[in-house]
Amino acid sequence: MCGIVGYVGKKKALPIVLNGLKFLEYRGYDSAGVAYLLDNKVNITKEVGRISSLEKLIDLDTPSYMAIGHTRWATHGEPSVSNSHPHQVGRFTVVHNGIIENYLEIKEDLKKKGVKFLSTTDTEVIPALLDYYYKEEKDILKTIKKVLEKLEGSFALGIICDDDKENIYAVRRGSPLIIALSNDGMFIASDVPAILNYTNKYILLEKDEIAKINNNSYQVFDFNLKDIKKEINTFEGSCDDAMLNGYPHYMLKEIHEEEKVFLDTFNYYVNNDSFKETMPDFKKYKNIHIVACGSAYYVGCIAKSLLEEYAMIPTCVEVASEYRYKKNFYNQDTLVIVISQSGETADSLEALRKAKKDGIDTLAIVNVVLSSIAREAKYTLYVKAGPEIAVATTKAFLAQTTLMALLTVKLSRKYELLKEFKGLERKIKELLSKDYLEYAKAIYKCNDTFFIGRLIDYALCLEGSLKLKETSYINSVAFQAGELKHGTISLITKGTPVIGICTNKDIVSKTISNLKEVKARGAYIIYITNEECHDDFYDQLILLPKAHNLVMPILSVIPLQLISYEVAKLRNCDIDKPRNLAKSVTVE
Ligand code: M6R
């Protein structure tokens, strides 16, 4: 959470930093701020709300050539001007992404030494410590090293010091941070899209590395302040991938990219009905643990059904924030699969690290290239979703589901199943071209909704329910269809929307019975199925195209995503940036 951008160079810094922050708003958007050098003085402007609110307070023509900026997702202290970054104490001004776990003891200690604090954040102790130790060390790099020794937690920092009018300093421990290089200047940023308007050359900082950038050069130091050589990466995508391109919202744009995302992911791993070398052989593993958070966890639930059904591999799915603290029964036959769009989700990353530490092999299923999870896993398989900006994941979910279905085929050795993916893009397109407004109209005024389904359809219910809650703020519960009558059915009253999903003809009559039970109690039923249905228990029907059960979830998720989008729109919600959320959850 939180996004950092910094620039020092030949161009005016404020437009560059603000533009970069807009691309990082997905990381947090409750307040924002910039610090910039003007007439040899560091000036700070901060505001509650979006970057657009901050922009109104800033003259973009300001002749400043060095600036750092921040977009915040509050962890310690409410969103307010005083809690917004940058934070300044004495000579040091800092922007921070992450959490300082021992900030209370540091704060108490510094207070005793006479330091005054203006915010309730954990961050403010960082400039305070820097300023305090700088008086002893009188050298910025040595001071940063000393402060790193004191800090506990996960963080990325951008730092400027009144005594150095040429350089921006940056540090990474845990939270992601890159430096980017152009002929007109150097950048720091939490993520690549922030700099793509200016350059595609960047360097990833690793744990406890310190960078120093000025208008035409950079240096990276290790923890012992030894100058180190770093590999320069080139980002292959284009800035356009992260633009709205005429769509009213990123969520809608990203859903409409699903046909391409499916094909790109499929074609990356398969050619002429055979797997390419991009798909390794995992035959030695006898059981699988899938670990993830949120929607990625629900992809894991889908994958468990597929892996057990077709590959006969016992699979357990665990929420990463639990997995990292519980006793796990794994051994050399276990493959731990971590699914993550961003590749930076703190709990998923720590779960991966725990498995690695225990000597267990790990596989990352990730969208963001060179993200931490992608780099730290033993094996990495990328999904080809491209940049996903909307906080609610859609195309990455579809791409992850596609890849897990492909992995199932690989592990099952039933390669003839690959033909079931053929032509699926046309069915995706067919679903994307339908209008979902009438379904949304049946839902948008209600306070509660239910999603029910059995087996793999239950996993889709979980995702449909999360999507609706997240984007439209309607309370929603997903239930195994047969389980409702054991208590939860008491919540069904006249008009309660129940979305029933059934894509498996072997159990269709069972799910229909459960839908009739709620219909008898007044529920308004939206029935999603791929089987012709001549019964009249439902109020609205979504007929999915026919497809093999292995690939059905790739299709059934699309109406769920588009209904959520339409409901959120009818409710005038902030679709791409729902309240209280951030796209990349880099704190515990
Ligand atoms: O980047 P990740 O896939 O690791 O993110 C996991 C969850 O935070 C994410 O899927 C979240 O639940 C989405 N906002 C749901 O739309």
Side-chain angles (χ1 to χ4, degrees):
M1 344 280 270
C2 300
I4 292 175
V5 184
Y7 171 77
V8 49
K10 296 174 193 145
K11 294 186 171 174
K12 289 183 180 154
L14 284 169
I16 292 176
V17 168
L18 284 167
N19 182 275
L21 286 177
K22 284 180 189 163
F23 282 99
L24 297 186
E25 259 191 326
Y26 73 87
R27 304 178 68 86
Y29 37 82
D30 58 41
S31 51
V34 285
Y36 55 97
L37 191 68
L38 183 65
D39 299 333
N40 279 330
K41 186 176 166 299
V42 175
N43 297 262
I44 296 179
T45 308
K46 314 200 258 194
E47 182 58 303
V48 174
R50 305 284 159 89
I51 309 297
S52 51
S53 309
L54 173 70
E55 200 167 18
K56 289 187 190 130
L57 307 179
I58 286 173
D59 175 5
L60 293 177
D61 222 20
T62 306
S64 165
Y65 299 89
M66 176 163 133
I68 53 176
H70 186 269
T71 181
R72 180 170 186 244
W73 186 85
T75 57
H76 296 63
E78 55 169 13
S80 65
V81 171
S82 57
N83 284 339
S84 309
H85 303 213
H87 288 281
Q88 187 178 52
V89 178
R91 296 176 184 77
F92 285 86
T93 307
V94 169
V95 286
H96 166 216
N97 166 207
I99 288 181
I100 306 302
E101 286 165 2
N102 58 340
Y103 82 102
L104 278 176
E105 51 192 271
I106 296 174
K107 199 166 178 173
E108 280 316 302
D109 190 42
L110 288 171
K111 272 184 184 168
K112 283 183 202 141
K113 289 168 174 152
V115 179
K116 296 258 180 302
F117 289 90
L118 304 175
S119 79
T120 52
T121 64
D122 53 337
T123 302
E124 204 179 357
V125 301
I126 305 169
L129 276 178
L130 287 164
D131 194 56
Y132 183 81
Y133 285 112
Y134 184 66
K135 287 169 197 149
E136 284 173 12
E137 298 288 343
K138 298 187 173 54
D139 175 279
I140 297 173
L141 280 171
K142 284 186 186 157
T143 305
I144 292 175
K145 174 180 160 55
K146 183 118 192 188
V147 170
L148 275 180
E149 286 163 6
K150 307 276 169 202
L151 297 178
E152 286 169 18
S154 162
F155 48 85
L157 307 175
I159 303 168
I160 49 184
C161 173
D162 289 359
D163 288 356
D164 183 346
K165 306 287 185 323
E166 285 177 6
N167 294 291
I168 296 176
Y169 296 81
V171 181
R172 175 186 186 175
R173 181 183 291 168
S175 308
L177 198 64
I178 59 165
I179 57 177
L181 330 168
S182 79
N183 292 334
D184 292 325
M186 305 289 156
F187 305 76
I188 61 168
S190 299
D191 196 3
V192 176
I195 50 90
L196 282 182
N197 268 323
Y198 313 99
T199 176
N200 61 356
K201 300 268 179 265
Y202 70 100
I203 289 169
L204 279 164
L205 292 183
E206 303 287 348
K207 182 171 184 254
D208 284 348
E209 287 178 353
I210 306 169
K212 180 178 174 184
I213 59 169
N214 60 39
N215 66 4
N216 58 15
S217 71
Y218 68 91
Q219 280 175 288
V220 180
F221 305 91
D222 68 10
F223 191 61
N224 297 315
L225 303 184
K226 189 167 155 273
D227 200 340
I228 48 176
K229 268 222 128 12
K230 297 284 293 181
E231 185 187 342
I232 300 177
N233 301 294
T234 305
F235 184 80
E236 302 300 346
S238 99
C239 196
D240 249 21
D241 297 342
M243 298 294 195
L244 273 170
N245 295 336
Y247 281 92
H249 299 102
Y250 281 106
M251 184 177 174
L252 189 64
K253 176 197 171 222
E254 288 160 5
I255 294 172
H256 279 273
E257 286 169 354
E258 289 182 333
E259 184 191 345
K260 177 176 183 309
V261 160
F262 164 77
L263 279 175
D264 287 351
T265 303
F266 180 75
N267 291 331
Y268 188 73
Y269 292 102
V270 179
N271 188 22
N272 289 333
D273 293 335
S274 304
F275 280 109
K276 297 182 185 171
E277 277 175 13
T278 43
M279 176 66 82
D281 200 321
F282 297 102
K283 68 171 177 245
K284 72 175 252 219
Y285 301 105
K286 307 260 182 306
N287 63 83
I288 288 175
H289 290 193
I290 300 178
V291 191
C293 301
S295 291
Y297 169 78
Y298 301 144
V299 173
C301 297
I302 293 172
K304 171 184 162 70
S305 275
L306 298 179
L307 287 162
E308 292 185 342
E309 180 74 24
Y310 299 99
M312 312 278 280
I313 300 182
T315 303
C316 66
V317 198
E318 305 264 6
V319 167
S321 54
E322 298 283 307
Y323 192 80
R324 58 183 290 195
Y325 295 116
K326 68 187 270 290
K327 184 150 184 60
N328 298 313
F329 295 93
Y330 39 35
N331 55 40
Q332 295 312 304
D333 294 335
T334 311
L335 180 63
V336 172
I337 303 181
V338 178
I339 306 177
S340 174
Q341 186 284 129
S342 63
E344 298 295 348
T345 301
D347 285 318
S348 305
L349 180 58
E350 288 308 325
L352 174 105
R353 286 179 177 156
K354 179 185 177 186
K356 271 181 72 173
K357 195 160 159 262
D358 290 343
I360 308 300
D361 287 353
T362 54
L363 162 65
I365 305 289
V366 173
N367 188 34
V368 177
V369 177
L370 292 178
S371 54
S372 301
I373 292 174
R375 284 181 298 124
E376 293 193 26
K378 175 170 175 138
Y379 312 99
T380 296
L381 299 183
Y382 285 112
V383 299
K384 297 288 171 181
E388 194 180 60
I389 309 293
V391 165
T393 183
T394 53
K395 61 174 180 170
F397 184 96
L398 186 130
Q400 289 160 348
T401 305
T402 303
L403 183 46
M404 292 312 288
L406 288 172
L407 187 64
T408 300
V409 178
K410 179 78 184 183
L411 286 164
S412 71
R413 319 219 158 251
K414 297 172 183 151
Y415 298 129
E416 68 281 5
L417 283 170
L418 281 178
K419 72 174 185 314
E420 304 299 343
F421 293 78
K422 279 278 162 59
L424 213 61
E425 67 282 5
R426 285 194 300 279
K427 297 177 183 177
I428 293 175
K429 193 173 180 182
E430 181 188 323
L431 283 168
L432 290 175
S433 66
K434 288 191 175 161
D435 188 353
Y436 295 87
L437 187 58
E438 284 311 308
Y439 308 103
K441 281 185 183 163
I443 295 174
Y444 84 106
K445 285 188 181 151
C446 298
N447 295 325
D448 301 292
T449 60
F450 292 83
F451 286 75
I452 65 169
R454 288 169 180 258
L455 307 177
I456 207 163
D457 293 324
Y458 170 60
L460 285 141
C461 287
L462 289 165
E463 172 60 6
S465 173
L466 175 63
K467 213 89 302 174
L468 189 68
K469 287 188 278 252
E470 183 179 28
T471 55
S472 69
Y473 317 146
I474 292 178
N475 183 38
S476 165
V477 177
F479 246 82
Q480 296 94 338
E483 191 59 14
L484 211 62
K485 57 185 167 295
H486 296 287
T488 311
I489 200 164
S490 65
L491 295 173
I492 304 289
T493 55
K494 191 165 167 32
T496 308
V498 175
I499 293 110
I501 309 177
C502 187
T503 62
N504 180 345
K505 68 172 180 320
D506 297 340
I507 50 167
V508 73
S509 61
K510 308 292 173 198
T511 304
I512 288 181
S513 295
N514 302 134
L515 286 167
K516 286 183 176 172
E517 287 156 13
V518 291
K519 180 71 185 169
R521 285 149 183 89
Y524 181 95
I525 294 181
I526 298 175
Y527 182 42
I528 304 179
T529 184
N530 56 355
E531 293 292 323
E532 293 289 342
C533 179
H534 304 294
D535 218 336
D536 63 353
F537 62 89
Y538 56 79
D539 295 280
Q540 294 201 65
L541 176 74
I542 298 179
L543 196 57
L544 301 166
K546 289 257 181 255
H548 191 283
N549 284 352
L550 171 77
V551 295
M552 204 58 225
I554 301 169
L555 300 176
S556 14
V557 73
I558 296 170
L560 302 175
Q561 296 171 342
L562 282 164
I563 290 174
S564 288
Y565 173 79
E566 294 294 351
V567 174
K569 208 166 131 198
L570 286 171
R571 287 168 67 93
N572 278 324
C573 292
D574 196 345
I575 295 179
D576 288 334
K577 298 189 181 85
R579 70 181 175 217
N580 303 339
L581 286 167
K583 183 139 188 87
S584 190
V585 185
T586 56
V587 294
E588 236 193 281

